[in-house]
């Protein structure tokens, strides 16, 4: 007879094997999500104002002959992941048959294209083959170091975007959608933070959505959206915001304060290029942030008052308050040691 220990061992081993199979096909979840966005499944259900059948979904898909069994399999997977609901109802002809109706959930509401706050462009961008290719270099990066995106595409992401209009648009639209969500939460909570700021430059501001949100709430601010020329060239006009193209490692436009969001991946360049006095504070701060943010694996959104009385104010949650305290502490240490 098998001992309890042997049974536990066998059970654990089987579970382990099942988990390997799940992980092996982990990409299928991302691809199903991306397909849902590409087929606009959430939009189709939303446009009916409530749950609908498979054939109603199919008739909303932009295809003259959608493959219904394929769609059924995709819907089954999306329902299992909680992206849609599925409920059986007696069929309308009164027979014994039941038909399944699919509805939206809290997840799929973030996939609506025409919603003001949507993650649909981000889902498409992050799961695009250009963005997925670098993941195949993960092991190589561990062995040899280096940057996965450059290994996959032969140049850094910004060069790639400057040469590939489709990628540039995908990337900028994706970031803009996620940024709109962050800024909608952040700007009203930051309350007094912008009162004394007359001009604000968003460094690496993408197509300007973040600074536009700030200026909309604080119209006394003159907003400057600063990013690489190929990015600002595609930026829409926003009231109170001017777009300036350039390279932040060379110079940044003058303003009372500097705002940066999700621009920290440039840290390697920061170290590689000589510092200029005018950018000293910003560079130092970025160095500190890179240290702290890397430790916390947390994307930081920060507001910096660039001047003698340097201060960083930001803080939506306790976790981020902790992050700030650590940045502040490191900043003071470095200032004392003068070792930056
Ligand atoms: C991760 S995106 C963040 C965009 C925006 N801040 C947001 O959160 O939506 C980083 C941005 O930095 C810009 N960028 C990269 N290198 C830059 C440089 N040397 N000078 C100015 N902008 C740069 C990119 O074009 C990109 O728009």
């Amino acid at each position: 007879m098998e001992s309890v220990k042997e049974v536990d061992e066998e059970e654990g081993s089987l579970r382990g094997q099942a988990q390997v199979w799940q992980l092996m096909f982990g990409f299928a979840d991302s691809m199903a999500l991306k397909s849902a966005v590409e087929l606009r499944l959430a939009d189709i259900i939303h446009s009916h104002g409530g749950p609908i059948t498979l054939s109603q979904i199919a008739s909303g898909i932009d295809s003259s002959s959608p493959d219904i069994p394929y769609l059924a399999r995709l819907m089954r997977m999306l329902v299992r992941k909680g992206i849609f609901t599925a409920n059986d109802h007696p069929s309308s002809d009164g027979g014994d048959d039941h038909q399944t109706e699919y509805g939206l959930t809290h997840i799929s509401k973030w996939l609506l294209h025409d919603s003001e706050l949507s993650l649909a462009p981000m889902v498409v961008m992050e799961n695009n083959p250009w963005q997925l290719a670098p993941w195949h270099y993960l092991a190589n990066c561990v062995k040899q170091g280096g940057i996965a995106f450059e290994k996959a595409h032969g140049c850094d992401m910004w060069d790639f975007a400057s040469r590939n209009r489709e990628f540039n648009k995908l990337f900028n639209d994706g970031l803009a959608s996620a940024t709109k969500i962050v800024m909608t939460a952040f700007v009203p909570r930051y309350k007094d933070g912008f009162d004394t700021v007359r001009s604000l430059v968003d460094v690496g501001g993408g197509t300007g959505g973040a600074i536009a949100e700030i200026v909309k709430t604080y119209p006394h601010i003159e907003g400057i959206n600063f990013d690489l020329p190929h990015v600002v060239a595609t930026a829409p006009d926003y009231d109170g915001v001017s777009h300036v193209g350039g390279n932040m490692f060379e110079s940044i436009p003058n303003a009372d304060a500097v705002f940066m969001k999700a621009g920290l991946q440039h840290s390697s360049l920061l170290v590689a290029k000589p510092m200029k006095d005018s950018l000293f504070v910003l560079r130092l701060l970025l160095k500190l942030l890179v240290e702290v943010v890397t430790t916390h694996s947390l994307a930081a959104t920060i507001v910096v008052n660039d001047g003698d009385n340097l201060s960083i104010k930001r803080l939506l949650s306790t976790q981020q308050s902790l992050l700030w305290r650590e940045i502040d502490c490191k900043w003071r240490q470095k200032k004392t040691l003068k070792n930056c």
Side-chain angles (χ1 to χ4, degrees):
M1 214 172 106
E2 281 180 312
S3 70
V4 174
K5 200 172 161 212
E6 278 167 342
V7 171
D8 283 353
E9 185 62 30
E10 198 179 323
E11 169 81 17
S13 174
L14 272 175
R15 277 183 199 284
Q17 191 196 146
Q19 277 167 351
V20 171
W21 283 98
Q22 273 176 0
L23 289 167
M24 201 187 314
F25 289 105
F27 64 87
D29 290 346
S30 315
M31 291 303 110
L33 180 71
K34 181 187 176 220
S35 305
V37 172
E38 287 175 332
L39 294 167
R40 294 181 170 250
L41 300 180
D43 302 85
I44 294 169
I45 297 172
H46 184 65
S47 68
H48 278 76
I52 54 174
T53 62
L54 197 66
S55 56
Q56 285 174 307
I57 297 176
S59 60
I61 290 175
D62 181 20
S63 160
S64 53
S65 54
D67 186 317
I68 307 275
Y70 225 117
L71 176 62
R73 288 206 292 278
L74 176 61
M75 290 308 290
R76 204 159 53 232
M77 185 164 176
L78 294 167
V79 167
R80 191 165 51 77
K81 287 287 157 190
I83 296 169
F84 296 112
T85 57
N87 288 302
D88 283 346
H89 296 282
S91 66
S92 48
D93 60 13
D96 288 343
D97 286 350
H98 280 66
Q99 60 183 6
T100 306
E101 287 188 339
Y102 299 91
L104 299 179
T105 66
H106 283 304
I107 303 178
S108 36
K109 285 179 187 160
W110 288 102
L111 307 180
L112 294 168
H113 283 81
D114 295 330
S115 165
E116 204 189 325
L117 301 181
S118 170
L119 281 170
M122 196 70 182
V123 169
V124 174
M125 186 274 276
E126 286 295 357
N127 290 291
N128 183 280
W130 287 311
Q131 284 290 46
L132 293 180
W135 288 96
H136 291 280
Y137 291 84
L138 198 51
N140 181 289
C141 285
V142 172
K143 284 186 188 164
Q144 299 174 359
I147 297 172
F149 194 96
E150 293 179 10
K151 287 174 194 273
H153 296 297
C155 60
D156 74 25
M157 199 190 287
W158 319 125
D159 273 352
F160 190 72
S162 73
R163 289 192 240 132
N164 182 328
R165 260 196 230 175
E166 195 186 335
F167 179 77
N168 189 33
K169 180 163 170 42
L170 268 175
F171 185 85
N172 295 335
D173 289 355
L175 262 291
S177 70
T179 294
K180 173 94 181 159
I181 295 167
V182 172
M183 297 308 285
T184 304
F186 159 61
V187 175
R189 286 172 177 78
Y190 193 61
K191 292 209 160 73
D192 305 332
F194 293 113
D195 282 351
T196 56
V197 174
R198 283 161 302 136
S199 57
L200 181 66
V201 56
D202 185 354
V203 175
T207 47
I211 190 84
E213 281 299 314
I214 296 171
V215 170
K216 199 165 74 185
T217 312
Y218 302 93
H220 69 277
I221 295 179
E222 176 203 341
I224 304 164
N225 178 52
F226 179 71
D227 206 294
L228 294 166
H230 67 269
V231 177
V232 294
T234 66
D237 287 339
Y238 293 107
D239 283 345
V241 175
S242 56
H243 296 289
V244 178
N247 179 348
M248 69 168 149
F249 300 109
E250 288 165 5
S251 70
I252 55 174
N254 275 330
D256 287 350
V258 173
F259 176 89
M260 276 194 98
K261 177 185 165 293
L264 301 176
Q265 62 271 55
H266 318 297
S267 54
S268 53
L269 284 173
L270 277 175
V271 180
K273 303 225 170 181
M275 288 184 180
K276 282 192 179 161
D277 285 343
S278 60
L279 281 177
F280 175 77
V281 173
L282 182 61
R283 288 176 193 286
L284 171 58
L285 193 65
L286 283 171
K287 247 175 107 179
L288 298 179
L289 273 169
V290 169
E291 287 171 22
V292 175
V293 170
T294 319
T295 325
H296 286 251
S297 304
L298 216 166
T301 305
I302 58 159
V303 174
V304 182
N305 290 326
D306 187 2
D308 287 337
N309 297 318
L310 182 79
S311 68
I312 311 169
K313 299 173 185 165
R314 164 83 184 92
L315 318 168
L316 286 176
S317 65
T318 317
Q319 198 181 22
Q320 282 163 319
S321 299
L322 288 173
L323 175 69
W324 154 234
R325 277 213 289 281
E326 197 171 329
I327 293 166
D328 191 39
C329 172
K330 280 187 183 254
W331 161 247
R332 281 167 213 283
Q333 275 170 11
K334 300 244 172 180
K335 239 171 44 166
T336 318
L337 296 171
K338 290 192 173 38
N339 63 351
C340 292

